[in-house]
Amino acid sequence: MIVSNTTLDILDRALRGDHDALTYLTNTASIFIFDTATDPSNPHVYGCWNFFNQTLTEVERYEAQYGHYAHHPGEGLTPPHLQGQHRPGPASLAPHVQLLTTLSRRAARRPPAADRALVTTCLTNASRSGAYNVVGSPDQHSRLLTSAMETRESLLGRIAALAFDFALHSPHGPSSTSAFADPVSMEGLCTIVAANAVSSGPEGLRHLVVDWIVPASSADQLPHFSSAAVCAHLADEAMSNRGAPAGTSAALQSLFDVVVSGVVGPLLAEAVRDSDSGNGSDGRGGPTRNQRVAAMALRALERWCAATGAGIGQVKRICSDGETKIDIVEVISDALYSDSEAVIDAAAELLDTLLKKNAEDTATMESLSLVSTFMQSVSGGSAAAGLVQTEEAMRLKEAERDVILVELVSAVGLQRLRFDSASSAACRCLARIAAAIALAAQSSIRSGKMGRASNGLLELLLKGAAHPSIHVCGICLEAIPSLIAPGSNYSDRLLPILQQRAIVPATLRGNRAGAGGQDADVDFHEYTSFRENLLSAALAACYKNNRSFYMESCASAIDEFCAAPLTPQLPFQLEAALFCLCAVSMDASKRALLVGASPAAQSAAAKASVALGQAQTADIAADAKKHDEELAKCTFSIAQNPATATSNPLTLAQMCRFIAKYSRWYSKTQSAGALDKAAELALTAFNATASPDYTRNEAVKDLIDEMVISPVAEAATALRNILTRSPGRFTTPEALAALESGWKASYTSANSEEENIKVEDREALCSGLCRVLAALPSDQWVSSLTALATPTIQYLEAASKKAEELVGKEAEQFTILDRMADEIKLLSVMVRTFRNAARKSESSDKDPNPALIAVLHRAWPCLSHVSEKLGSYAMISRSLSDLLTCCVAVQQSDSEHEFFLQVCNMAANIMAAVKSSNGESEKHSTQAPMLHFVEEAVDIYGHVAETVARGTSKSTNADLNLHKILDRLLVLSFEAVEEAAGAIWASGSEHQQQGETAGEASPPPPPAARPINKSPDELAAMFSLLTVALRRSPVLLLNLSSGKDLFSRAVQAGTVAMNEKEVDVSRSALIFLKTLADLKAASENDERSGATYQLISSDIDESIYHIRGSVVNAAVAGACGIYPREVLDPAASLLSAFLQASSPEEAELAATASLQQGMFKLGDDAKRAVLVVLGKAAQGRGDASLLMEVFDTLWSLHQGEDAHTFAGGDAVAKFVSKYGQQ
């Protein structure tokens, strides 16, 4: 049957996702229209309240018409089947009513004054269009306005009547099947009542609570669920509605006592007492009515505490002093025994909020104590008397909170008795409560003040840590590390549980993943995250409390697993034991390295451990020796029987991680042979995992597909760390031959179709090999480095020819280009790593540049050919940019930067190739990679070129060459960017021609009107380059051979780019413009900067003058919700710099103009507050952090379509109070 009801039909189509219906509902909730079509003789204003009223009427008519069917299916009329219904009948309208309440809440959050303004705007627009003549008819205008507001009041009264209708709360009454009786729908109705009360102002809020809710609830004249729900949403609305009228927070504070003691407390006590009884069940299979009331009352108490900042001590006093004398702590404790997840979850939320407040109060008291002590020492007792009195009062409150915490700790501890039999959902809530209370009471638990009262809680947390659900375990592990007292045996009881949790569950292994089981609540990636974070932190806490026991336990397990016959489970057990050692690698390796340390160093390490709250070690020398022995034992156990460690990829990867993390210990241990065994294991693992045959095994491949870490990557990292820590140990012919085999294996893998090895893994291996080569005598550098680079260069030579032959066959060509880019990356690693390592080696007096230049000259013909023919492709351009950047620092001796000139020529060729390609496809590059290279060149050599540009001293031919090269690179960079992002540069030029002054600057263009930016990464790179050039060589930048116009256009483009939606572009433009202002500021504080500034002062001053208004306007408008949040801080910093770089008159004019833009919606009081802050910034009072804070608040207040309603609201009033003081 087709639904004939108009509004229900719209809601039905909206639930189906119909775009037109959704748009209609969105518009209806926020606008009013002047309706002359329905009755031309009697026009009226139609808006959301009319729509909502009509919908309620249609729902009631529907239920009256088809109500018989709900009780007698098959008789009478057959109701329509609407979207979301579970069975025919009136109850199927619940989704429609829920959607209606959501829309109504949005409208109810508007203050009545805002609705009157919307109606007035509607009538004004109608008058202008000729549809309605307001002029001369004030009575008609008043009548229509009054009628519209009366409709609102009538509809909201109708909703309140439904919310508090006992018939809708009766489980067996005739209205029990109504859509309004649905719990979610009913809560939605209560939300509307609360939203309207809050939006009506403090008096409306007090009227609802004092004159209606409190007396009616005390007389049991209101349904319990609705009373609790309205109270909950009153506090929630007051917090979440940023447009809540001024005074709302104060009203909430004044009403807290009466609401808690007169409504929420009694409702909660009664509902908890009867929550699990059969009485009141609605028969729908969900929570009982009492359980829903209990959950809602707990939510209400939590919301009011969160909104008012009330602590648990205050709540207890209010409830115990009230008319009904309720022990609220006992009531909350009883709620924990509920069978309802909703009740326990609500209790968890409440305790979270109360205990956070407890932590804040504790921190405040500690700060107050420090201030009081300081004041007494500085000015004597009289000045600190007030502070001491306040501190004493807070100590009394703390003592009260401690008593309550003991009660809660005992109550939660008793829940351990039902933990084994409770559902996973209930266990999760109980674990959450236990963790929150444990963290709040951690100091008392650790110090032993609670005595045996905490035993039950600690036992419950241990049960939670061993619970089959990873989620329950994770919640408990968040608290457990903070509870381990130095010297206690709690960590020794916990460690076996954690070691068991470290074993990857069978349900997550390879092709069995997701097959179900006790750990099916997470996937492999979630389990890995759990291990790396929560489990690792708990393991570290156990280790620090009993280091020797921890190391002995893990080492014995590894020795046992390596010696035992191989079984399917054994490798995963070994992997878990290795993981446990990796989790403490930083501390354990440091402790093991104390074996050879001096007694003073050992004593300092022992004192540091105690200072950090760790268990005291009686004999640190013996402890260090124990660590060294246990780590060596682990290494030799694995080396003697590597089959278990290498039998599956997960265990092999963990073994390599173990070697990598303990590489520093391996490099210095006195245990003979440990380093060699570790290197042998790592190289064997690398050769095995890099082999194309490794992943042809289906079981291995399945497990690798699930793993977060890669076995070959971990092996490469282990090799790199070992070689980096002890490069001299591997310079023997035998070691070099073995390493050469690993390098060849990497090429065998890379050349295969299996793709086992990634370029990052090859880079790691290459980095380690380069450090070994740098440890060789310097006379072997050229030959050894050339031998390392030969396979790379040979591949590039062959691949470049093949790539040209495959023109037109994109799939095949791009595969080769990707591989060529990888090989160029390897050359970059060789240059960078070898140069750095050689300069730090024993042969550091030798110059590594000749060896590098020999390799680069060998590769240069091929690289030049690649740059000319294939440099326009993105992957080639990026990798060549990285290589050229590395080459900037490589210098030929006795030359006038000839090699640097070759590098720059190649960069120019790539720029030309990119320019000619003009972005033919997404595979083609932008100029960004080459701009990064130019930035590096300017950063390294800019100071030399700057000296030449100043002309203040005699320059050598080499300096003149550098100046000429950098000038050319900068000019090419400007030309490249203007070609690719011409729209922004062109728009910047147009602004410049208009000659806007600070007061005339136009506001930023709306997003739709902004110039199109085809290459955001290119623009971001260009502004980053300009920032470096301004810092390193400003005179050069402003006096390029192509003229000053380049720089002035860049400055204007920067003001346009400030408003770019791409974060990187706007951020880099903001930083560039700030650098411009900083340049002027530096000239006033630094003599050398001042001398430089004199050469360019007129250009800089003129640039700042022309863009000041645009910059200030854009920054303020951006803070009004236009900018992405990520750029607020640089925008505030820029604004502060520009205001300080301006005269007081200029700053005042620009600041005032910026606040006249339509983007600012918070009213005149907020404008004045912002002007005060801007004035402080202009005067240099305070740093940019104040403006950053204001920008962040402004941005938050401008979020949402209803930001214009916030003016005069509580949030804006707080803003004005905080920042409006002179």
Side-chain angles (χ1 to χ4, degrees):
M1 179 185 295
I2 299 175
V3 179
S4 59
N5 296 304
T6 305
T7 58
L8 278 180
D9 182 57
I10 294 172
L11 290 172
D12 189 57
R13 287 190 287 115
L15 286 171
R16 293 195 184 100
D18 182 273
H19 179 267
D20 292 338
L22 290 168
T23 303
Y24 176 84
L25 291 176
T26 301
N27 292 335
T28 299
S30 57
I31 63 175
F32 289 84
I33 61 171
F34 186 64
D35 180 16
T36 58
T38 304
D39 185 359
S41 62
N42 185 28
H44 68 282
V45 176
Y46 186 92
C48 56
W49 306 112
N50 305 81
F51 179 87
F52 300 152
N53 195 49
Q54 183 179 346
T55 305
L56 291 181
T57 300
E58 291 184 7
V59 171
E60 291 175 343
R61 184 170 62 230
Y62 173 96
E63 293 186 341
Q65 186 175 1
Y66 301 108
H68 180 74
Y69 180 87
H71 300 284
H72 307 282
E75 301 180 21
L77 298 172
T78 302
H81 287 253
L82 301 176
Q83 171 70 19
Q85 74 184 104
H86 303 293
R87 59 187 175 85
S92 64
L93 287 184
H96 304 74
V97 173
Q98 291 162 19
L99 176 58
L100 179 68
T101 58
T102 301
L103 294 168
S104 302
R105 180 199 179 197
R106 178 183 170 188
R109 298 184 85 173
R110 284 198 306 268
D115 265 8
R116 278 193 292 270
L118 288 173
V119 174
T120 300
T121 300
C122 168
L123 294 175
T124 302
N125 291 339
S127 176
R128 288 173 180 170
S129 67
Y132 170 62
N133 184 15
V134 178
V135 180
S137 55
D139 292 341
Q140 179 76 349
H141 180 283
S142 177
R143 184 185 68 79
L144 291 170
L145 181 58
T146 301
S147 174
M149 298 309 297
E150 286 176 349
T151 302
R152 169 183 170 130
E153 293 303 316
S154 172
L155 184 276
L156 290 170
R158 186 177 180 184
I159 289 174
L162 286 169
F164 294 106
D165 185 353
F166 274 99
L168 294 174
H169 293 268
S170 175
H172 306 297
S175 300
S176 62
T177 57
S178 171
F180 298 117
D182 177 84
V184 178
S185 300
M186 180 55 66
E187 185 178 349
L189 295 171
C190 296
T191 303
I192 299 168
V193 174
N196 177 61
V198 171
S199 67
S200 298
E203 289 306 316
L205 177 58
R206 290 191 183 93
H207 170 67
L208 176 68
V209 173
V210 176
D211 299 336
W212 192 8
I213 299 290
V214 173
S217 293
S218 300
D220 205 19
Q221 294 174 347
L222 294 177
H224 292 183
F225 179 83
S226 293
S227 296
V230 169
C231 288
H233 287 288
L234 282 173
D236 194 54
E237 282 293 316
M239 285 194 300
S240 62
N241 185 359
R242 291 169 296 174
T248 300
S249 295
L252 220 62
Q253 291 281 358
S254 66
L255 295 170
F256 180 76
D257 289 17
V258 68
V259 169
V260 171
S261 64
V263 182
V264 176
L267 286 177
L268 178 60
E270 181 180 346
V272 167
R273 184 179 65 244
D274 302 328
S275 65
D276 292 330
S277 66
N279 243 348
S281 173
D282 58 10
R284 298 181 186 180
T288 65
R289 284 187 302 134
N290 281 325
Q291 286 172 341
R292 280 201 296 272
V293 172
M296 186 57 69
L298 287 166
R299 278 181 56 191
L301 184 55
E302 185 275 329
R303 291 288 78 195
W304 277 82
C305 290
T308 59
I312 192 165
Q314 181 183 353
V315 174
K316 182 174 182 178
R317 285 195 303 274
I318 290 171
C319 291
S320 59
D321 294 342
E323 188 175 335
T324 52
K325 309 294 182 186
I326 298 169
D327 185 344
I328 197 67
V329 177
E330 183 179 344
V331 172
I332 295 172
S333 301
D334 289 343
L336 302 183
Y337 287 94
S338 175
D339 294 330
S340 169
E341 181 186 350
V343 174
I344 303 177
D345 192 50
E349 286 287 344
L350 171 61
L351 289 171
D352 268 350
T353 298
L354 292 173
L355 295 173
K356 283 177 184 175
K357 174 62 178 173
N358 177 64
E360 291 171 4
D361 289 345
T362 301
T364 301
M365 196 188 70
E366 291 174 354
S367 301
L368 191 63
S369 178
L370 290 173
V371 173
S372 176
T373 303
F374 174 75
M375 291 292 290
Q376 285 181 332
S377 64
V378 172
S379 55
S382 57
L387 290 175
V388 172
Q389 195 172 11
T390 304
E391 185 182 352
E392 286 298 324
M394 293 193 71
R395 288 196 183 280
L396 291 175
K397 290 183 180 180
E398 185 186 32
E400 180 186 36
R401 290 197 301 270
D402 287 344
V403 172
I404 296 172
L405 275 178
V406 172
E407 290 184 56
L408 290 172
V409 166
S410 299
V412 175
L414 292 173
Q415 297 300 313
R416 73 187 187 280
L417 303 176
R418 63 183 290 226
F419 202 80
D420 295 332
S421 58
S423 67
S424 290
C427 287
R428 184 168 62 249
C429 294
L430 290 172
R432 180 181 168 193
I433 293 170
I437 292 176
L439 288 172
Q442 59 180 292
S443 59
S444 298
I445 294 174
R446 284 171 61 92
S447 64
K449 288 182 181 179
M450 285 197 175
R452 299 178 62 184
S454 63
N455 289 350
L457 176 64
L458 294 174
E459 190 67 30
L460 186 150
L461 290 171
L462 282 180
K463 284 177 174 283
H467 193 276
S469 169
I470 297 297
H471 293 305
V472 174
C473 174
I475 292 170
C476 294
L477 293 188
E478 288 179 353
I480 283 176
S482 304
L483 306 177
I484 300 176
S488 72
N489 68 344
Y490 192 61
S491 61
D492 296 347
R493 296 174 60 201
L494 176 65
L495 182 58
I497 297 174
L498 301 181
Q499 289 172 328
Q500 185 67 30
R501 297 316 300 243
I503 301 175
V504 176
T507 54
L508 302 179
R509 301 173 189 172
N511 57 12
R512 297 181 60 189
Q518 62 181 16
D519 296 290
D521 57 347
V522 296
D523 60 23
F524 195 94
H525 293 266
E526 291 170 326
Y527 175 75
T528 300
S529 177
F530 158 77
R531 276 210 319 181
E532 295 293 338
N533 296 288
L534 295 173
L535 187 59
S536 291
L539 286 167
C542 289
Y543 166 77
K544 291 172 183 176
N545 193 55
N546 195 340
R547 297 170 184 265
S548 295
F549 175 77
Y550 187 101
M551 296 300 293
E552 184 177 353
S553 174
C554 293
S556 297
I558 290 172
D559 185 53
E560 177 185 344
F561 298 148
C562 289
L566 185 61
T567 64
Q569 176 72 0
L570 198 61
F572 293 99
Q573 294 173 319
L574 175 59
E575 191 269 344
L578 288 168
F579 172 82
C580 292
L581 285 178
C582 289
V584 300
S585 58
M586 184 176 292
D587 287 327
S589 59
K590 287 180 181 178
R591 181 56 59 97
L593 288 172
L594 289 174
V595 169
S598 64
Q602 293 179 347
S603 176
K607 291 178 181 177
S609 295
V610 174
L612 292 172
Q614 301 169 14
Q616 185 171 0
T617 305
D619 188 348
I620 196 166
D623 188 49
K625 184 179 180 183
K626 179 76 170 176
H627 276 64
D628 186 82
E629 291 173 350
E630 298 295 356
L631 289 174
K633 177 182 176 181
C634 293
T635 305
F636 291 127
S637 296
I638 297 171
Q640 288 172 4
N641 185 14
T644 304
T646 58
S647 60
N648 78 43
L650 185 65
T651 312
L652 185 147
Q654 197 63 251
M655 177 194 73
C656 293
R657 289 189 75 188
F658 170 77
I659 294 171
K661 286 179 174 290
Y662 285 94
S663 58
R664 184 165 178 261
W665 170 78
Y666 280 120
S667 68
K668 297 184 177 183
T669 181
Q670 298 176 7
S671 299
L675 175 61
D676 295 335
K677 291 295 183 184
E680 182 181 346
L681 286 170
L683 183 59
T684 301
F686 179 82
N687 289 339
T689 54
S691 170
D693 296 331
Y694 189 67
T695 53
R696 288 172 185 160
N697 183 306
E698 286 299 321
V700 169
K701 189 175 185 305
D702 286 342
L703 190 51
I704 290 177
D705 289 341
E706 290 292 330
M707 291 169 56
V708 175
I709 58 177
S710 161
V712 67
E714 296 297 335
T717 302
L719 261 180
R720 180 198 63 196
N721 289 7
I722 287 288
L723 299 178
T724 298
R725 292 288 185 182
S726 309
R729 190 74 167 267
F730 302 97
T731 56
T732 63
E734 296 80 7
L736 289 173
L739 294 175
E740 183 182 9
S741 70
W743 185 238
K744 289 180 178 178
S746 72
Y747 269 88
T748 301
S749 179
N751 293 333
S752 71
E753 297 180 357
E754 299 298 325
E755 298 182 352
N756 285 359
I757 192 168
K758 296 181 179 179
V759 66
E760 293 81 8
D761 309 330
R762 298 168 67 204
E763 287 176 336
L765 176 60
C766 183
S767 174
L769 293 175
C770 285
R771 285 179 168 83
V772 172
L773 299 184
L776 291 169
S778 58
D779 58 356
Q780 298 181 32
W781 282 354
V782 173
S783 59
S784 60
L785 192 58
T786 301
L788 181 68
T790 295
T792 306
I793 297 171
Q794 287 176 345
Y795 180 86
L796 284 171
E797 290 172 340
S800 61
K801 296 176 182 177
K802 189 172 182 181
E804 287 188 68
E805 296 171 359
L806 292 173
V807 173
K809 301 178 181 179
E810 289 191 348
E812 298 177 54
Q813 186 188 37
F814 289 155
T815 301
I816 293 178
L817 291 178
D818 285 334
R819 176 65 191 283
M820 289 175 64
D822 291 347
E823 299 303 320
I824 296 172
K825 290 177 184 177
L826 288 177
L827 281 178
S828 301
V829 171
M830 292 178 199
V831 173
R832 184 187 302 113
T833 308
F834 182 82
R835 186 173 185 276
N836 292 337
R839 295 169 67 184
K840 297 177 183 178
S841 70
E842 295 179 359
S843 304
S844 58
D845 56 327
K846 301 295 182 180
D847 184 8
N849 288 323
L852 293 171
I853 289 177
V855 171
L856 291 170
H857 276 168
R858 166 76 174 79
W860 211 254
C862 175
L863 293 175
S864 298
H865 180 76
V866 170
S867 67
E868 292 176 8
K869 303 296 183 182
L870 304 170
S872 64
Y873 291 100
M875 65 287 280
I876 299 296
S877 176
R878 285 194 296 266
S879 58
L880 281 175
S881 168
D882 189 33
L883 176 60
L884 295 179
T885 301
C886 294
C887 292
V888 170
V890 178
Q891 302 175 4
Q892 278 180 292
S893 56
D894 302 326
S895 73
E896 296 183 347
H897 304 291
E898 292 179 5
F899 181 68
F900 181 52
L901 180 59
Q902 293 179 39
V903 170
C904 294
N905 285 336
M906 183 179 291
N909 291 338
I910 297 172
M911 284 184 174
V914 171
K915 185 176 180 180
S916 63
S917 71
N918 197 27
E920 294 173 5
S921 74
E922 61 180 15
K923 291 290 186 179
H924 282 85
S925 178
T926 66
Q927 298 287 3
M930 286 303 110
L931 293 176
H932 290 308
F933 158 74
V934 178
E935 179 183 330
E936 180 72 10
V938 171
D939 194 31
I940 291 179
Y941 293 115
H943 66 289
V944 179
E946 180 73 354
T947 302
V948 176
R950 290 177 189 168
T952 54
S953 59
K954 186 177 181 180
S955 302
T956 65
N957 288 335
D959 295 344
L960 292 172
N961 283 341
L962 269 178
H963 176 273
K964 188 180 298 182
I965 291 170
L966 291 183
D967 182 280
R968 180 190 176 208
L969 286 176
L970 287 169
V971 171
L972 285 173
S973 299
F974 274 108
E975 293 174 352
V977 173
E978 288 183 351
E979 179 75 19
I984 284 184
W985 242 258
S987 63
S989 179
E990 290 168 7
H991 280 297
Q992 182 190 15
Q993 291 168 5
Q994 292 170 6
E996 292 177 338
T997 64
E1000 299 168 343
S1002 56
R1010 293 173 188 165
I1012 297 174
N1013 174 20
K1014 296 187 295 184
S1015 179
D1017 61 333
E1018 198 166 275
L1019 266 181
M1022 186 61 189
F1023 286 122
S1024 179
L1025 164 60
L1026 290 170
T1027 300
V1028 172
L1030 262 183
R1031 290 170 179 166
R1032 298 289 285 165
S1033 48
V1035 178
L1036 168 66
L1037 181 63
L1038 271 75
N1039 293 278
L1040 293 174
S1041 56
S1042 292
K1044 297 182 179 181
D1045 186 52
L1046 291 178
F1047 178 75
S1048 61
R1049 289 209 303 272
V1051 171
Q1052 292 293 333
T1055 64
V1056 179
M1058 285 176 64
N1059 303 304
E1060 274 291 301
K1061 62 181 180 180
E1062 288 85 2
V1063 172
D1064 289 342
V1065 176
S1066 57
R1067 180 191 291 274
S1068 59
L1070 291 165
I1071 294 172
F1072 162 60
L1073 293 176
K1074 182 181 181 298
T1075 306
L1076 185 69
D1078 289 343
L1079 196 62
K1080 180 176 181 178
S1083 67
E1084 300 172 0
N1085 303 319
D1086 181 70
E1087 184 177 343
R1088 182 176 179 184
S1089 298
T1092 300
Y1093 190 74
Q1094 291 302 317
L1095 300 173
I1096 53 175
S1097 59
S1098 60
D1099 298 315
I1100 298 295
D1101 291 345
E1102 183 178 357
S1103 295
I1104 291 176
Y1105 172 77
H1106 278 298
I1107 68 172
R1108 180 185 296 111
S1110 297
V1111 166
V1112 176
N1113 277 359
V1116 173
C1120 296
I1122 294 179
Y1123 280 159
R1125 192 163 201 154
E1126 298 90 329
V1127 301
L1128 289 179
D1129 282 357
S1133 183
L1134 168 65
L1135 180 57
S1136 178
F1138 258 74
L1139 290 175
Q1140 291 181 43
S1142 308
S1143 67
E1145 296 77 13
E1146 292 170 335
E1148 182 180 1
L1149 179 63
T1152 304
S1154 69
L1155 291 170
Q1156 304 307 316
Q1157 303 175 93
M1159 292 80 169
F1160 194 93
K1161 302 176 181 178
L1162 304 183
D1164 292 338
D1165 289 343
K1167 282 184 181 179
R1168 284 189 285 271
V1170 174
L1171 274 175
V1172 169
V1173 175
L1174 294 180
K1176 291 179 181 178
Q1179 297 166 17
R1181 292 160 55 192
D1183 53 23
S1185 61
L1186 172 63
L1187 204 50
M1188 292 178 186
E1189 183 180 303
V1190 170
F1191 267 32
D1192 187 68
T1193 307
L1194 279 178
W1195 188 90
S1196 298
L1197 288 173
H1198 277 86
Q1199 298 307 300
E1201 298 176 0
D1202 55 349
H1204 63 280
T1205 66
F1206 297 171
D1210 220 23
V1212 172
K1214 290 177 182 177
F1215 176 85
V1216 173
S1217 174
K1218 183 174 182 179
Y1219 299 110
Q1221 304 299 320
Q1222 292 286 346

